[in-house]
Amino acid sequence: MRHSGLSVTGSGHAKTGTPCQDAQAILDTADLLVLAVADGAGSARHAELAAQQATACALAWFQAGRPLPTGPAAWEAELRTLLEHLPAELAAEARRLDCPPRELACTFLLTLITADALVGVQVGDGAIAYRPMPGEGDLALLTAPQQGEYLNETVFLISDTCLQDAQFAYRDGAPDAITLFSDGLQMLALNMTGRPPLPHAPFFDPLFNFIRRQPDAGRHAEQLSAFLESERVCAKTDDDKILVIAVRTDPPA
């Protein structure tokens, strides 16, 4: 699959001199594609470090030569183990920085694609949307935003309820296209009036088609940056924005 990812500083953060607190990472091997996204909590002193560490540790987990699970139960068990590992890594970093773990709070989204499966896990807001192979259905959410008891409250990797609240998803067969995005794009990318919310196809399909047609990774970064920093997008959200996309480029068998 052809893939691209980019995070940009929101206009609100730019005004205050706050760095981008979103991070993304991609691992592409012969038998596995891993897409990871994390969004540091605005209230956390080391939000950007938390997001960077969470995504880097997730990729390192699957770079370690671990045998790939088979079937939904085995994949969920593997991802639960990962979700025990990541908070421990963040807690260790907090000890190194001599600060409470809450200062390294971040949300987390992860998708893994093999030849015959699509797997996902999410902690917090943002979402993962995918388009099945032609003839197999419409654009849909693999995982949905998680909200807490209060407005703008969500779950973080360092939350006591991380494992309890995490969403796990498994679908047979690789997708035609998939995207992961942080909460900075939710109001544009999702129809939030439904329960659960629905992905907005007119938002995603031009992006999928662009990545599918354009083999130049440099052009991906250029165009995604222009889109995420456009007046249209910034008028809807002043938050950091992150978007990771992967699309199938070979014709269906």
Side-chain angles (χ1 to χ4, degrees):
M1 298 183 78
R2 181 172 295 152
H3 47 74
S4 185
L6 189 72
S7 54
V8 300
T9 304
S11 55
H13 284 194
K15 289 176 183 176
T16 61
T18 304
C20 181
Q21 296 170 332
D22 288 358
Q24 54 89 18
I26 298 172
L27 171 66
D28 191 352
T29 72
D31 54 1
L32 180 67
L33 176 62
V34 184
L35 311 172
V37 162
D39 180 1
S43 59
R45 191 192 329 166
H46 301 294
E48 66 274 17
L49 178 59
Q52 293 162 8
Q53 183 157 345
T55 53
C57 287
L59 261 60
W61 181 267
F62 291 101
Q63 282 175 321
R66 313 173 77 87
L68 293 181
T70 302
W75 268 111
E76 181 171 336
E78 179 76 9
L79 293 175
R80 283 187 176 276
T81 304
L82 175 64
L83 288 189
E84 293 171 346
H85 171 73
L86 295 180
E89 290 291 307
L90 293 175
E93 184 66 13
R95 289 192 295 273
R96 188 186 72 80
L97 295 170
D98 193 24
C99 69
R102 67 174 178 273
E103 301 295 355
L104 285 131
C106 66
T107 62
F108 179 70
L109 301 92
L110 182 75
T111 293
L112 305 106
I113 301 167
T114 69
D116 54 11
L118 169 60
V119 184
V121 62
Q122 176 166 335
V123 177
D125 47 24
I128 303 172
Y130 74 99
R131 183 172 288 288
M133 289 294 190
E136 295 182 4
D138 297 325
L139 185 67
L141 286 185
L142 188 67
T143 59
Q146 291 175 297
Q147 303 300 139
E149 182 179 354
Y150 303 103
L151 186 65
N152 295 327
E153 180 187 41
T154 192
V155 184
F156 300 111
L157 276 176
I158 52 87
S159 300
D160 292 338
T161 60
C162 168
L163 271 174
Q164 172 186 326
D165 293 330
Q167 298 176 68
F168 299 93
Y170 178 94
R171 182 183 180 277
D172 286 323
D176 180 63
I178 191 156
T179 179
L180 295 75
F181 53 95
S182 61
D183 70 322
L185 287 174
Q186 280 179 196
M187 300 308 293
L188 282 163
L190 300 178
N191 178 353
M192 300 296 289
T193 60
R195 289 292 180 269
L198 296 174
H200 188 49
F203 177 88
F204 290 112
D205 283 342
L207 296 169
F208 292 158
N209 291 335
F210 168 71
I211 301 297
R212 199 187 310 273
R213 293 193 309 265
Q214 176 56 257
D216 185 347
R219 290 283 292 159
H220 295 170
E222 177 184 313
Q223 291 299 313
L224 287 180
S225 178
F227 171 69
L228 293 175
E229 294 177 329
S230 67
E231 182 177 344
R232 171 201 167 196
V233 171
C234 291
K236 296 286 187 180
T237 174
D238 65 354
D239 197 3
D240 292 340
K241 294 166 283 291
I242 189 165
L243 190 61
V244 174
I245 295 172
V247 297
R248 178 183 53 83
T249 55
D250 56 306

